[in-house]
Amino acid sequence: MTASTTESLGQRSAAHLWGHFSRHGDEITPPVITRGEGARIFDDRGRSYLDGLAGLFVVQVGHGRDELAEAAAKQAKELAFFPLWSYATPPAIELAERLAANAPGDLNRVFFTSGGGEAVESAWKLAKQYFKLTGKPMKHKVISRSIAYHGTPQGALAITGIPDLKKMFEPLTPGGFRAPNTNIYRAPDEELAADPKKFGRWAADRIAEAIEFEGPDTVAAVFLEPVQNAGGCFPPPPGYFERVREICDEYDVLLVSDEVICAFGRIGSMFACQDFGYTPDIITCAKGMTSGYSPIGAMIASERLFEPFNDNTTTFAHGYTFGGHPVSSAVALANLDIFEREGLNDHVKSTAPAFRSTLEKLYDLPIVGDVRGEGFFYGIELVKDKTTKETFTEAESERILRGFLSTALFDAGLYCRADDRGDPVIQLAPPLICGQAEFDEIEQILRGVLTEAYALL
């Protein structure tokens, strides 16, 4: 590719392409990614980078899988599109069967969407209508956690717990309320920080407290990620989800496991609730279902929630034109075939300890305060002082994270995320095909760049 072509791509991007969650201006030209192969991506100059974020927690089976592209082409020739509005297609039927077979308990009813935010939106709407149909019309509120991200549609945004993402779009859909998250590194006191099980009970009981405060007759659902993404990968403490399940049952509140990121092997099982031993009433999922080769999402609900709609007359008056798109469904089926044939879930389970131990080598750096996560999903919290856990000021976050780290890590050959939606973190979620060679490369690049970053404080 010639320099003039490279320049043209940059100019065309600046002139017409509006990036998502992106800054724009005369001094900003986004990198142009042209292809991927395995765990690597390549830009328009031919330079290679390790994809340390699987695109955006998406490309589970790696880039450049011919069989996924071929599945899309084959289905497009047979039936490129037809909606699921009172009709069905063979790929959507088969995919619903596969997802139901992998889901826990009696989560057998699959409602397809185009992506994760739509799946979350669908789950809240289902919860509201379910309780209206079953004689509890006041139950409409949702409890979620501080700093949690659940999507950008107006309803999902109300469930999201990140104030800065919401203030420009207020007033939001009413009914979203917050409880504390499970960041034990920032536990409210030393006693809780020293006892993970006690901290888990404390955090879960804050959900019960929120339900009581709002009024149990008004709360419809609790939305929780198995491992919370925003803020930097907060795993659940021991006993946490067991207690949350008890609380939801006690107050007749639905437990929604938001697995848009955590499903499809990211933690080690097809659905991450299985990794942590709980059965929700609803699972929301998307990203890894097709490994990003075609967009799709789903809300998977229990038979109990479907029952009021199974009477020949009642309709869930909700849907999306491209939900369960036949091409996307065919790609998802081929993606799940790869999971089974290559044993990717078992690979994550067996290899995750090595990923953790490799990242934990970074504890010898003065800027690394905490390394946390599960499976192939990790956050590294950055601090000014390891002893006091002092975090960055807003000005330091602007200078260190956005002004230096985001660019420096990419320039060093690693695509990942420097994030400060909570405290400053580096987020990592490589493709599930990775192994020790990729773990070592991630650690070595992080070591060099974080050493430079600390010198700038």
Side-chain angles (χ1 to χ4, degrees), residues 429-444:
L432 307 187
I433 59 172
C434 288
Q436 191 60 53
E438 289 79 17
F439 304 158
D440 288 339
E441 185 176 354
I442 289 171
E443 189 271 338
Q444 289 162 15

Side-chain angles (χ1 to χ4, degrees), residues 179-198:
N181 57 49
T182 59
N183 183 5
I184 194 169
Y185 184 68
R186 299 287 180 182
D189 62 53
E190 293 183 4
E191 184 179 356
L192 290 174
D195 188 337
K197 190 169 184 179
K198 187 172 184 177

Side-chain angles (χ1 to χ4, degrees), residues 91-103:
I93 294 169
E94 185 178 350
L95 181 57
E97 290 174 338
R98 292 275 289 272
L99 294 176
N102 280 288

Side-chain angles (χ1 to χ4, degrees), residues 21 116-118 121 149-158 160 165 169 172:
F21 287 98
E118 291 179 356
E121 196 91 352
Y149 178 84
H150 293 282
T152 55
Q154 283 290 94
L157 191 59
T160 290
L165 292 188
F169 308 106
L172 302 176

